[in-house]
């Protein structure tokens, strides 16, 4: 039985050896390997600071807290994302609103954002934070987002769960000056994995200190940070209410080993995407458009089918043949838990139409050329049968 997932991890012998060596050491929880992994990511991305965390959802929560989001605050993001990009606001007691997507990049639309900001300024309801999601691995138009930040005074979080190693204007995600925090996910379907895990990058030393405190109960032992005089070698202080969102050294060992070959993983994803572009040129599908300013890391390869009925039939056909296509995403505002909070069908029409036609084809570093050829030929027969 064939089974081609839309994405999956690629674990090799050296990854297993790296994890084994930590398992044989004295230190399993957050320790020296977490520090080494953070340093390696900082160097790879060209950022100043990195804080490893238990998963990207926790990272988004911490980024919101570090940026001061609280009850009554406002966070805006794209409806075409995983729910975590929006839920982080609600953990802080803040409210969520959405910006419709750009019909070409499927990232949040800068034009829609400009119009919404103008209106919000008029009504005294400007957002505190905007979360830009680098959808499918393609960076948002960060320069324009940063220009709007300068004009309206909100803070920027880059949800880079899809876009580790992607580039925008020649720089890697995580390094853009003007983005306050960048959050990566190391879930197994993402670009590199630690099992569960994530990382928050920032160039701001104050945000970095806040992130580190918040990730571990709000507790510090660092002598220069203590509020009171140390009472003995046992002494530590809880200085704010924090969480246990730490990464373990076991996970970090896997991350460090994966990072050493992430260029190969991304190159393979790009190669598969280029091949899809060529192989699908003749088909009745819309291929994912790429901005000349960026270079996607291709977490996803989403195509648009001609209409919702065809998408449904093609999805079922491919799934029946063991090709595990997926739909990314059901618009967040249409989730029951969001509709209960006042959102309705028709609120973000471009996102809704996109959702009804989209299908993510398999793309991952472990996929073979033969598997890709099979996906394309099955897609071809599925479209013919549906049409
Ligand atoms: C996967 C994902 C997350 C959450 O990542 P976890 O590490 O699983 O918490 C957040 N945002 C987006 C866009 C994602 O794809």
């Amino acid at each position: 039985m064939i089974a081609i997932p839309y994405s999956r991890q690629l674990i090799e012998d050296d990854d297993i050896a790296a994890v084994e060596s930590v398992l044989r050491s004295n230190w399993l929880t957050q320790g020296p390997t977490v520090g080494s992994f953070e340093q390696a990511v900082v160097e790879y991305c060209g950022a100043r600071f990195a804080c490893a965390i238990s998963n990207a959802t926790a990272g988004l929560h911490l980024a919101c807290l570090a940026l001061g989001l609280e009850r009554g605050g406002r966070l805006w993001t794209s409806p075409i994302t995983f729910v975590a990009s929006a839920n982080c606001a609600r953990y802080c007691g803040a409210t969520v609103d959405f910006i419709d997507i750009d019909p070409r990049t499927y990232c949040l639309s800068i034009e829609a954002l400009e119009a919404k900001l103008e209106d919000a300024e008029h009504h005294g309801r400007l957002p505190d934070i905007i979360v830009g999601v680098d959808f499918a691995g393609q960076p948002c138009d960060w320069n324009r987002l940063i220009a709007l930040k300068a004009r309206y005074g909100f803070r920027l979080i880059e949800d880079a769960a899809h876009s580790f190693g992607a580039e925008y204007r020649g720089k890697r995600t995580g390094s853009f000056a003007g983005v306050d925090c960048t959050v990566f996910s190391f879930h197994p379907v993402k670009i590199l994995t630690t099992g569960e895990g994530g990382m928050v990058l920032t160039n701001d030393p104050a945000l970095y200190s806040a992130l580190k405190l918040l990730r571990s109960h709000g507790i510090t032992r660092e002598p220069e940070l203590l509020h009171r005089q140390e009472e003995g070698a046992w002494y530590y202080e809880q200085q704010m209410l924090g969480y246990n969102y730490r990464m373990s050294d076991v996970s970090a060992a896997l991350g460090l080993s994966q990072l050493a070959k992430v260029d190969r993983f991304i190159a393979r994803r790009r190669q598969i995407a280029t091949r899809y572009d060529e192989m699908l040129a003749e088909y009745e599908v819309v291929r994912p458009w790429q901005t000349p300013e960026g270079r996607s890391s291709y977490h996803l390869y989403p195509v648009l089918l001609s209409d919702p009925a065809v998408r449904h039939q093609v999805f079922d056909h491919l799934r029946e043949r063991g090709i595990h296509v997926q739909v990314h995403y059901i618009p967040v505002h249409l989730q029951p838990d969001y509709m209960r909070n006042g959102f309705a069908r028709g609120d973000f029409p471009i996102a809704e139409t996109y959702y009804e036609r989209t299908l993510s084809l398999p793309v991952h570093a472990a996929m073979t050329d033969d598997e890709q050829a099979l996906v394309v030929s099955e897609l071809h027969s599925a479209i013919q049968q549906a049409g």
Side-chain angles (χ1 to χ4, degrees):
M1 179 63 194
I2 316 159
I4 307 175
Y6 83 86
S7 188
R8 63 158 291 157
Q9 70 277 14
L10 174 52
I11 302 291
E12 296 167 320
D13 288 348
D14 57 341
D15 297 310
I16 292 166
V19 172
E20 187 182 345
S21 83
V22 166
L23 287 174
R24 293 186 188 284
S25 77
N26 289 327
W27 206 285
L28 301 186
T29 57
Q30 179 181 292
T33 314
V34 167
S36 306
F37 184 36
E38 288 171 335
Q39 193 49 38
V41 171
V42 155
E43 281 163 25
Y44 183 84
C45 297
R48 281 188 72 190
F49 306 107
C51 183
I53 24 83
S54 48
N55 55 67
T57 305
L60 288 161
H61 183 196
L62 291 193
C64 286
L65 289 170
L67 290 168
L69 191 65
E70 48 187 32
R71 194 159 294 282
R74 282 181 283 268
L75 176 147
W76 295 359
T77 190
S78 165
I80 297 298
T81 185
F82 185 55
V83 292
S85 314
N87 288 345
C88 54
R90 297 172 58 194
Y91 300 149
C92 304
T95 59
V96 177
D97 202 351
F98 300 94
I99 307 134
D100 210 343
I101 60 166
D102 181 287
R104 287 208 297 184
T105 63
Y106 317 140
C107 293
L108 66 82
S109 155
I110 303 291
E111 290 72 29
L113 174 60
E114 283 169 344
K116 201 178 172 85
L117 284 167
E118 229 173 85
D119 185 65
E121 185 176 46
H122 192 71
H123 293 95
R125 298 173 62 83
L126 282 170
D128 301 288
I129 293 177
I130 290 182
V131 177
V133 182
D134 295 334
F135 183 75
Q138 168 156 256
C140 297
D141 193 343
W142 287 103
N143 270 21
R144 291 176 74 191
L145 283 169
I146 290 162
L148 289 169
K149 168 185 165 174
R151 158 126 197 252
Y152 290 100
F154 52 79
R155 312 296 294 271
L156 276 173
I157 296 176
E158 177 179 17
D159 182 338
H162 297 183
S163 63
F164 191 92
E167 290 167 30
Y168 173 77
R169 294 181 169 230
K171 287 187 158 174
R172 289 204 174 122
T173 52
S175 69
F176 312 146
V179 171
D180 295 289
C181 293
T182 297
V183 182
F184 293 124
S185 170
F186 305 131
H187 181 281
V189 296
K190 306 292 166 69
I191 307 294
L192 75 162
T193 192
T194 59
E196 293 274 7
M199 207 174 278
V200 186
L201 272 59
T202 183
N203 292 315
D204 178 334
L207 286 176
Y208 176 57
S209 303
L211 290 166
K212 274 204 301 186
L213 268 181
L214 286 161
R215 130 177 109 175
S216 197
H217 310 281
I219 286 176
T220 186
R221 296 172 180 277
E222 289 180 42
E224 65 278 13
L225 297 179
L226 296 177
H227 291 178
R228 297 201 302 245
Q229 196 161 9
E230 206 171 315
E231 291 163 15
W234 63 84
Y235 190 70
Y236 60 83
E237 286 178 358
Q238 178 180 330
Q239 298 180 337
M240 59 168 83
L241 184 64
Y243 300 82
N244 179 351
Y245 283 170
R246 295 185 304 260
M247 179 183 279
S248 73
D249 264 23
V250 180
S251 300
L254 180 53
L256 204 47
S257 165
Q258 291 258 299
L259 184 65
K261 47 196 162 177
V262 76
D263 285 338
R264 168 162 57 93
F265 291 176
I266 295 169
R268 180 60 184 146
R269 284 177 177 269
R270 287 181 177 147
Q271 194 177 43
I272 292 167
T274 305
R275 211 157 158 252
Y276 272 138
D277 286 344
E278 291 161 7
M279 295 167 101
L280 298 175
E282 311 287 305
Y283 289 66
E284 268 180 83
V285 297
V286 178
R287 290 163 288 152
W289 182 82
Q290 301 300 303
T291 162
E293 294 191 313
R295 259 190 108 200
S296 179
S297 49
Y298 286 104
H299 165 56
L300 302 174
Y301 189 92
V303 295
L304 299 189
L305 280 302
S306 54
D307 66 60
V310 170
R311 195 276 303 273
H312 205 298
Q313 286 174 53
V314 170
F315 181 96
D316 290 346
H317 175 111
L318 292 172
R319 280 283 183 104
E320 274 161 24
R321 279 155 183 79
I323 298 170
H324 205 91
V325 287
Q326 191 51 282
V327 168
H328 298 96
Y329 289 92
I330 301 166
V332 180
H333 70 284
L334 297 183
Q335 292 292 349
D337 189 39
Y338 277 82
M339 292 187 78
R340 195 164 43 240
N341 282 290
F343 292 100
R345 263 175 225 287
D347 282 351
F348 305 100
I350 301 172
E352 291 170 32
T353 308
Y354 163 82
Y355 159 62
E356 293 185 324
R357 293 176 55 198
T358 193
L359 189 67
S360 299
L361 301 182
V363 53
H364 54 86
M367 190 168 151
T368 65
D369 287 351
D370 287 350
E371 286 175 328
Q372 186 176 16
L374 183 69
V375 170
V376 173
S377 80
E378 286 296 346
L379 177 68
H380 187 51
S381 21
I383 291 172
Q384 279 184 326
Q385 280 175 35

